[in-house]
Amino acid sequence: MTLSTTTAPARTTTPATAPSAGTLPRVRPLAITALGVVSPAGTGLDALADALCGATEPCSDPAELPLGPSEPDGLPDNIRVVPEFRLADHVGRKRTRHLDRTTGLGLAACALLRTAAGPPVGDLTDPAWNTTGVVLGSTSGSVRSSSEFARDTHVHDRPFLVDAAAFPNTVMNSCTGQIAIWNGLHGINATLSGGTTAALAAFRYARNALDRGHAERLLVGGVEELCPQTAWGWAASGALAQGFPVGEGCALFAVQDAEAARRDGAPVLAELLASETAFSPESVRPGVTSVLAACVTRALERAGVDPAEVGTVSLGATGLVGFEEAERRAVRRALGGRTVTELRVKEVTGEAYSADGAFQLAAVLARTAPGQLSLVTGIGQDGHVASLVVRTGEGA
């Protein structure tokens, strides 16, 4: 896992609950107070909820994704694409000319979150926005921007007449930085690269930053764009089950200490009770089931949750060859052999890579009742595993 980060000055905070003898230390719950979702199901959480229950179908029309002259092969047959996406509809036309699709998806999700949370950008009645930070899972940034910029250095006449305005889109933390710039957010700005567990790793990073007083509120999530480069890469890799689609989108969540959120009168859409990550080295990769089971167990213990209380799991390895059943076995083992309701959001969003974990969490908020306890789990092909323990709030 790689990390790009800028850290704000530290603040004081109340320490986590002291551990009992023989147990891991409990952690303070975090509250999700607002969210923004842009997915192949459409704009907003309600659109995702409708697709998850089968009321609507996710978009699979390749015509929704503009392609350039350097992409004559188009897209594979099995895709999931955000429908009718125009960044100007969310942030206006000004200053958007040189922004890529990855950044556009992130800015659109943030605009939806800001609309839900209030006040609007530029309104200083809530000074907490000034110190809010951004923690985003984005494994490679925009693969399309990087590929096209590299191609231009070979096909244009010397001295390599590339579009300098496109270069900022090629770095992995471009989207995270643009979200902060457009919204005047001066807190922590961090981008985590962790494949299919990148967004879950972002929540773990945010958990640590809030616990240690480096932030009071963070926007946390994941983003991934669909492009020919990644879509054909997945198709050639054999890593996805036959016919499983490749997708895109972004989900962002406003996260802060749960006690502070209630004190401030903020709506609590959900509580993040624990967030854990782990790694299964290549030499013991067949043991990834045991590593994930231990990760889930550790998260439940830190959350102070009995495994028997968990009613739902939002799965992250759906469609990944060799990992889907391993994830199920791990969850059953951690829950004492119990089988619980499964949410398979990737059947709607497709393999959205860095955005997977964010969509999984959004699915929990969309489809579970207030007070219900859920797990969000993930397995990466590189051996990373992660788990969240979530309690749906009254405001969901």
Side-chain angles (χ1 to χ4, degrees):
M1 182 187 301
T2 57
L3 168 68
S4 172
T5 180
T6 301
T7 305
R11 304 173 198 267
T12 58
T13 188
T14 305
T17 305
S20 303
T23 65
L24 292 171
R26 292 276 297 277
V27 292
R28 294 170 60 87
L30 303 180
I32 294 174
T33 58
L35 58 84
V37 180
V38 181
S39 76
T43 299
L45 188 65
D46 289 344
L48 182 62
D50 289 343
L52 284 167
C53 70
T56 60
E57 292 292 328
C59 180
S60 57
D61 183 2
E64 292 285 355
L65 187 70
L67 300 178
S70 65
E71 300 160 327
D73 295 330
L75 293 161
D77 292 335
N78 300 303
I79 61 168
R80 295 285 188 268
V81 58
V82 174
E84 301 177 355
F85 180 71
R86 292 181 67 253
L87 178 57
D89 293 341
H90 300 276
V91 301
R93 295 179 58 186
K94 189 176 180 181
R95 298 188 295 149
T96 62
R97 178 182 176 188
H98 296 294
L99 299 179
D100 62 5
R101 191 172 179 90
T102 296
T103 301
L105 292 169
L107 289 175
C110 189
L112 293 170
L113 184 153
R114 290 295 302 265
T115 298
V121 177
D123 187 335
L124 301 180
T125 57
D126 182 2
W129 280 110
N130 185 57
T131 57
T132 296
V134 187
V135 183
L136 195 65
S138 179
T139 298
S140 304
S142 172
V143 173
R144 186 179 190 179
S145 294
S146 299
S147 299
E148 291 180 347
F149 192 85
R151 177 182 181 274
D152 286 348
T153 67
H154 293 284
V155 301
H156 288 309
D157 294 334
R158 292 178 183 274
F160 311 121
L161 299 177
V162 297
D163 181 4
F167 179 75
N169 297 326
T170 66
V171 297
M172 64 175 277
N173 63 338
S174 175
C175 180
T176 315
Q178 289 288 356
I179 289 173
I181 292 167
W182 278 70
N183 291 276
L185 310 179
H186 299 141
I188 289 172
N189 196 262
T191 304
L192 285 92
S193 173
T196 54
T197 62
L200 299 183
F203 281 101
R204 172 64 174 174
Y205 181 97
R207 152 98 273 159
N208 289 341
L210 291 163
D211 261 355
R212 286 155 178 75
H214 296 303
E216 294 179 357
R217 177 167 61 184
L218 295 170
L219 307 187
V220 190
V223 64
E224 192 72 42
E225 70 172 351
L226 178 68
C227 64
Q229 291 86 349
T230 53
W232 286 112
W234 278 109
S237 71
L240 295 180
Q242 183 68 32
F244 198 83
V246 181
E248 66 170 356
C250 180
L252 276 179
F253 305 84
V255 177
Q256 66 182 105
D257 179 78
E259 182 180 323
R262 290 190 172 90
R263 184 177 60 243
D264 297 341
V268 177
L269 306 181
E271 286 183 302
L272 303 179
L273 303 181
S275 173
E276 293 295 315
T277 59
F279 180 70
S280 176
E282 187 173 358
S283 59
V284 292
R285 191 62 47 80
V288 69
T289 294
S290 297
V291 174
L292 178 57
C295 182
V296 172
T297 298
R298 190 166 63 250
L300 291 170
E301 189 170 341
R302 287 192 182 277
V305 169
D306 189 311
E309 299 177 72
V310 175
T312 302
V313 57
S314 188
L315 298 169
T318 306
L320 291 177
V321 174
F323 290 95
E324 189 167 350
E325 189 53 38
E327 183 179 37
R328 282 202 181 100
R329 289 197 304 270
V331 171
R332 284 197 298 269
R333 184 180 302 178
L335 298 183
R338 295 173 53 241
T339 299
V340 297
T341 301
E342 294 181 352
L343 290 176
R344 298 164 60 86
V345 69
K346 288 169 69 173
E347 293 180 349
V348 171
T349 62
E351 177 49 72
Y353 206 42
S354 301
D356 280 349
F359 282 148
Q360 291 170 249
L361 178 58
V364 169
L365 272 64
R367 296 291 295 158
T368 58
Q372 183 167 334
L373 282 163
S374 305
L375 292 173
V376 178
T377 57
I379 295 181
Q381 294 164 303
D382 56 359
H384 282 101
V385 302
S387 176
L388 298 181
V389 182
V390 185
R391 178 188 290 122
T392 307
E394 295 293 335

